[in-house]
Amino acid sequence: MKQLLTGKVALITGATSGIGRETARLFAQEGADLILTGRREQALQTLSRELEALGVRCRYLAGDAG
């Protein structure tokens, strides 16, 4: 079965918890490469490794957009 987002890149904000984290997982399962942002660097690093294990490229940038 073809993944819907293969070849696409998604920028996910608020990726360290809640809706942002689950959105990142869903996009990765559909084949999207990801750029993750959030305030907690350790959580971003952990999520990035988890998503890369699904076979997608993943980068993160910790910071507060507010």
Side-chain angles (χ1 to χ4, degrees), residues 33-53:
D33 293 325
L34 301 168
I35 301 168
L36 308 175
T37 67
R39 290 183 282 178
R40 298 186 327 244
E41 186 167 4
Q42 185 63 41
L44 288 169
Q45 185 178 50
T46 300
L47 179 60
S48 180
R49 287 184 187 144
E50 175 187 321
L51 300 178
E52 286 176 335

Side-chain angles (χ1 to χ4, degrees), residues 3 11 51 60 63:
Q3 295 173 309
L11 171 64
L51 300 178
Y60 63 88

